[in-house]
Amino acid sequence: MSEERRNELRDEPVVYAIHRQDRTFLPAREHCPLCPTRPGGEETEIPFGEFEIAVFENRFPAFEAPRGAAEVVVYTDRHDDSFGTLEPERAEALMWVWRQRYEELGARADVEYVMIFENRGVEVGVTLHHPHGQIYGYPFLPPVPKLELVADERLHGCAPCALLGRELQDGRRIVYENEGVVAYIPYAARWAYEAHVVLREHRPSLLACDADELRLLAAGLQALARGYDMLFDRPFPYVMVVHQAPTGGPAAGKGHLHVEFYPPLRTAEKLKYLAGSEQGAGTFISDVLPEESAAKLAEAIRRVG
Amino acid sequence: MAFPDEGSSISARSGNDPREREEAYGPSRFRRYVKGDGRTLILYTHGGLTDGGPVHEGPPRE
């Protein structure tokens, strides 16, 4: 069981999950715990010979009942795929899995905020290469979604709706759009290639999306993931986070579904580190203008087609 | 894809009739299992995605 403490200087929670120190770390391919179980081979987390999408409770959870949840979502039984290379139908199916888990975990009394995310690449601390994401059910409202609610108040309405409107009006930082979603590098992006994929219509969560919107969301996310890989002609590390409305507490149901990508690369070989100004002053110093990186990323997305 | 039956290290979470063990969600079907250490595993399969519509209205749109 994890221990929650409060950092009073920063007014933020810190979770100590010391059992995670022992979790599986970059195993050889033949020992991947997320692959299907081969006949005669060692049993993996999924003790069957094939599967489409699998979800299971994390063996090394940061949160667990009766104080939250931690799950692993395995996108495919093919070890060498990635979110971007999944068949479009599989990516669309994944949106339904996310929706179902958001609904089920969000209904729990010990979960106030459901966060679906993917860490991709050793640069962001991935310990297993098999394509997968995770879901945390926080027993409290974490600082970032709390700040988004404050932004709603500051902008006198839905902040993502307002910011999407500004980006569409400006146009220079948009990298992809379809009938359901718009992807752009924000005006004040913290990371060189940070991108937000935002539902055109105001939808608090995946639960408010119809089948077409889920399909278009999947298409937008995949276009971006493939464009990232094309950008520097290499697997592009990122943290991908689905932002949705809290499911409990006074803010339940308030939010605007969007997906944010935080890639640490600023060039093909150079990583952005969180150093003095970022950690000590909370002020990102970026050496790339969002308009310039957006032009490059949009071109990469166009090349992938 | 058909759901696999339980094995030596895993069991279906409930129901004796295999059909009762499956749940539907939009165009998806899923089935829950209990792993040997008590953790839940859910397998999802999908078909007819283009026929799928909203199955839950969810919270009111603002």
Side-chain angles (χ1 to χ4, degrees):
Chain A
M1 182 67 78
S2 300
E3 180 182 339
E4 296 167 28
R5 298 185 186 181
R6 187 127 204 112
N7 180 320
E8 292 294 349
L9 272 181
R10 291 176 178 255
D11 188 26
E12 67 184 17
V14 180
V15 175
Y16 297 88
I18 56 176
H19 49 284
R20 286 176 59 77
Q21 192 75 278
D22 301 324
R23 67 188 189 274
T24 312
F25 182 76
L26 296 174
R29 180 195 175 98
E30 60 270 26
H31 297 298
C32 173
L34 305 185
C35 276
T37 298
R38 311 291 179 198
E42 61 187 288
E43 186 169 292
T44 71
E45 288 280 16
I46 302 109
F48 301 116
E50 60 177 349
F51 63 89
E52 292 182 18
I53 297 176
V55 174
F56 59 84
E57 290 176 291
N58 199 319
R59 186 178 160 203
F60 304 96
F63 300 100
E64 59 187 316
R67 285 289 294 169
E71 297 184 338
V72 178
V73 183
V74 189
Y75 303 161
T76 171
D77 58 7
R78 295 197 298 259
H79 183 87
D80 294 321
D81 267 357
S82 68
F83 176 77
T85 63
L86 294 175
E87 293 292 322
E89 294 77 13
R90 177 63 58 87
E92 184 182 348
L94 182 61
M95 301 299 108
W96 285 95
V97 171
W98 286 358
R99 191 185 199 263
Q100 193 272 331
R101 297 317 299 152
Y102 176 83
E103 182 170 18
E104 185 166 311
L105 292 174
R108 282 173 41 173
D110 64 333
V111 172
E112 190 165 340
Y113 186 75
V114 178
M115 191 177 90
I116 299 164
F117 65 101
E118 177 189 342
N119 299 327
R120 184 190 188 208
V122 293
E123 295 88 347
V124 297
V126 152
T127 55
L128 301 173
H129 286 305
H130 193 112
H132 72 286
Q134 298 182 63
I135 304 175
Y136 279 2
Y138 290 87
F140 51 79
L141 184 61
V144 170
K146 196 179 282 185
L147 280 174
E148 292 182 350
L149 294 169
V150 173
D152 288 348
E153 291 178 12
R154 196 170 55 245
L155 297 180
H156 308 294
C158 172
C161 280
L163 297 174
L164 172 61
R166 291 181 192 174
E167 293 294 347
L168 285 168
Q169 191 168 29
D170 185 305
R172 289 178 297 165
R173 291 172 297 276
I174 291 174
V175 297
Y176 171 89
E177 55 185 316
N178 63 29
E179 300 89 337
V181 302
V182 180
Y184 58 83
I185 294 185
Y187 170 74
R190 305 163 108 201
W191 304 90
Y193 291 95
E194 173 179 343
H196 296 189
V197 180
V198 184
L199 270 286
R200 287 183 185 273
E201 299 295 326
H202 182 79
R203 304 285 185 249
S205 73
L206 292 160
L207 290 181
C209 294
D210 63 24
D212 279 341
E213 286 173 317
L214 294 180
R215 176 176 53 79
L216 292 164
L217 174 60
L221 296 176
Q222 283 205 291
L224 186 57
R226 289 193 298 265
Y228 275 146
D229 285 354
M230 172 64 78
L231 186 63
F232 297 136
D233 193 25
R234 54 161 288 182
F236 200 83
Y238 58 69
V239 174
M240 172 178 74
V241 177
V242 183
H243 292 239
Q244 302 187 79
T247 56
K254 294 179 181 171
H256 183 132
L257 167 63
H258 65 285
V259 182
E260 298 187 5
F261 287 76
Y262 318 119
L265 285 180
R266 52 192 174 93
T267 71
E269 294 91 20
K270 293 176 184 166
L271 287 166
K272 166 68 180 174
Y273 291 99
L274 299 188
S277 185
E278 290 81 10
Q279 297 209 52
T283 302
F284 269 66
I285 308 292
S286 180
D287 42 20
V288 182
L289 273 175
E291 292 75 24
E292 294 171 3
S293 52
K296 292 176 185 171
L297 181 56
E299 174 57 24
I301 293 172
R302 274 194 294 274
R303 285 208 306 273
V304 177
Chain B
M1 193 182 99
F3 290 110
D5 288 322
E6 50 270 66
S8 58
S9 66
I10 199 159
S11 57
R13 186 152 165 182
S14 63
N16 294 320
D17 182 340
R19 289 169 302 181
E20 293 177 359
R21 295 173 186 165
E22 291 185 18
E23 299 175 60
Y25 190 85
S28 313
R29 289 179 296 123
F30 62 92
R31 186 168 168 183
R32 301 172 198 266
Y33 300 85
V34 179
K35 294 161 68 72
D37 59 8
R39 288 179 295 140
T40 298
L41 166 70
I42 312 174
L43 296 188
Y44 293 82
T45 189
H46 304 267
L49 279 168
T50 54
D51 297 326
V55 285
H56 303 278
E57 287 301 317
R61 294 172 183 175
E62 295 178 358

